[in-house]
Amino acid sequence: MPKNKFQDVVFTIIMASVMVYGMVAYNIVLNTGSLENWVFGAVFHEWPIMVLIAIALELVFVGRLAMKVAFRLVNPREAGQTQIMLAISAASVWIMCPCMSFFATLLFKDSHNANFVAIWVQTTMLNYPAAFLWQLAAAGPLVRTVFGAGLRCIKKKQNAETHC
């Protein structure tokens, strides 16, 4: 897990990229009714703007609030690393899903009418189960593994340079 602000930003960029990819793909499948190969490339139509929104939300607002919520769910002095990670992941999805669904509704759905709130609520409710599952079972473990491997690689290089 990130130990300083720079690492937090890098972790956030990677996590937002993976989460947004999965959720945009999921929403395309919801809209079309089937998963086909073309969906994996079509994601990149919405992905860039949604990643930027996710990164901004996480760094400015969601990250701190999710930590506060998570530490109301578990006591960091008593809980293990896995409990803390699960609490933070769950709190992040709980806060981020309605926010990202709002922007997706605003930018990519036919929501410029009196039904905006209804479309946003529906989008949020359809996204919650997938976002939790994607975060806890796929994106979270993948990003933590990649991030941890990157940190270990950097430490190895730093140790090798100091021994020369």
Side-chain angles (χ1 to χ4, degrees):
M1 294 306 291
K3 304 283 188 225
N4 57 47
K5 191 60 177 172
F6 176 75
Q7 289 180 6
D8 185 47
V9 170
V10 171
F11 183 84
T12 297
I13 291 168
I14 299 168
M15 183 63 78
S17 298
V18 174
M19 280 299 297
V20 168
Y21 184 89
M23 293 309 298
V24 171
Y26 173 74
N27 278 276
I28 291 171
V29 169
L30 283 180
N31 291 337
T32 62
S34 68
L35 176 60
E36 298 178 24
N37 290 336
W38 64 267
V39 170
F40 300 110
V43 167
F44 293 106
H45 172 72
E46 297 176 17
W47 184 82
I49 186 68
M50 295 305 286
V51 166
L52 291 175
I53 292 168
I55 291 167
L57 283 171
E58 177 66 23
L59 293 175
V60 173
F61 163 68
V62 173
R64 282 178 260 164
L65 183 57
M67 294 289 270
K68 287 180 184 179
V69 169
F71 292 145
R72 285 179 163 240
L73 298 172
V74 298
N75 184 337
R77 293 183 193 102
E78 297 173 4
Q81 284 292 93
T82 302
Q83 289 174 310
I84 292 170
M85 178 272 305
L86 288 172
I88 293 169
S89 294
S92 294
V93 171
W94 180 64
I95 299 164
M96 188 67 89
C97 187
C99 295
M100 293 301 291
S101 295
F102 174 85
F103 286 103
T105 301
L106 184 67
L107 296 172
F108 301 110
K109 297 198 176 218
D110 184 24
S111 58
H112 305 290
N113 58 43
N115 290 317
F116 177 85
V117 173
I119 295 168
W120 171 44
V121 170
Q122 179 182 18
T123 301
T124 301
M125 292 297 100
L126 290 171
N127 282 331
Y128 259 127
F132 273 114
L133 184 60
W134 183 240
Q135 171 56 240
L136 296 177
L142 173 68
V143 171
R144 283 188 297 277
T145 299
V146 169
F147 185 77
L151 288 180
R152 284 189 298 280
C153 182
I154 290 169
K155 284 182 184 178
K156 270 187 182 177
K157 285 184 179 183
Q158 289 173 343
N159 288 339
E161 290 173 2
T162 58
H163 296 304
C164 293

